[in-house]
Structures are given as structure tokens and as C-alpha cells.
Amino acid sequence: MGDEKTGRRGTLRALAVLSGAAACGAIAAPGVKMLVAPASGAASGAARWLRAARFDSLEEGVPKRVAMIADARDAWTIERQKELGAVWLVRRGAAVECFSATCPHLGCTIGHDATSGFFCPCHDSGFAKDGARVTGPSPRGLDRLQTRVVDGAVEVDFHRYRQGIPERVELG
């Protein structure tokens, strides 16, 4: 009779331990995923195609500054329809060139002049119409971004880059 009670108690004890472990796992798995997700960087480096402008709104060879607006995620917070930055779009035939409107020197906003091209008003960096560095302290030319035209709309693979260094390094 002693072995019979020990066997039943052992089985009940094993069932209780397994049930408790399953319940803890069901609670812990989503919690761990929530804590690890922001650090995993799953979305960084991925294409982030954002609609910028209608293709037919761009004049041939005339740069147009466009704000890049989308939902922004910072760790666990999502901010809806936030301005992430700006770009300069230049129509060249059936293609569109795109330059970041952020100066590679210290992150100032890049302006445009019809005669001289692009410029940084803060630190006197100048850039040619093709985005190449011409003068000033900027360590590189304007950062180019990929574009595509989908259903008559220009989309930009929007990324931001580290300032103050000669290499183009994407921010995470």
C-alpha cells in the first residue's frame, strides 16, 4: 500500500510541476520577447520605402525638398506620422535622383540655390548639382538614397547616416 501511495503522489507531484512550468513558460515567453525585441534591431538595415511625391509633380532637373513622414518606433513606443527627415528629389528623365537633406558634416539642413547647387548655410559646405562635395568642412558629398516609381508615386528607401566621418555609415 505504501508503494501505491508513493506512486500516486509522485505522479501528482510530476503533473503539478509540469503544469506550473507550462504556466510560467506561457507568461515568460511573451515577456522575454517584449524585452529583447528593441535590442534585436530586427528592422534596422531593412528597406524602408516611403512615399515622397507624385512623379508628375517634379520638374525636370529642378530639386524639390520633401519631408519624409512615417510612423517612428523608438524601443516600445510608436509615434504616428512623424517627420523622420527630409530629402531632395531631382527628376532626370524617367528616373529620380534623391539626396538626403541632412549635411554630412554636422547634420544641418541642406539648402539649394539654382546657380550653385546644394549648400549648408551653417558651416559653408558646398555641393555640386550631382551631390558631390565642392567646398567646406563636410567630409563627403551628399548621401544618396535609392528611389523607385510605383503607380506614379516616387518612393524613397529612407535611411539616416552618421555625420562627421568620410565613410557613409547608416545609423541603426
Side-chain angles (χ1 to χ4, degrees), residues 34-125:
M34 180 189 77
L35 292 173
V36 174
S40 70
S44 66
R48 184 176 178 131
W49 292 97
L50 302 177
R51 286 195 168 213
R54 297 287 310 160
F55 181 77
D56 54 12
S57 73
L58 301 174
E59 292 182 46
E60 179 70 28
V62 178
K64 180 177 183 177
R65 186 177 184 280
V66 178
M68 302 306 297
I69 298 172
D71 293 346
R73 181 181 179 145
D74 181 17
W76 298 279
T77 305
I78 296 177
E79 190 173 347
R80 302 285 180 203
Q81 297 301 297
K82 178 181 179 180
E83 184 173 332
L84 304 177
V87 296
W88 285 98
L89 299 175
V90 185
R91 182 175 174 176
R92 307 255 190 241
V96 178
E97 279 185 305
C98 181
F99 304 103
S100 173
T102 302
C103 183
H105 176 227
L106 291 177
C108 304
T109 300
I110 295 293
H112 181 264
D113 181 273
T115 56
S116 61
F118 299 100
F119 63 92
C120 175
C122 304
H123 302 107
D124 205 27
S125 287

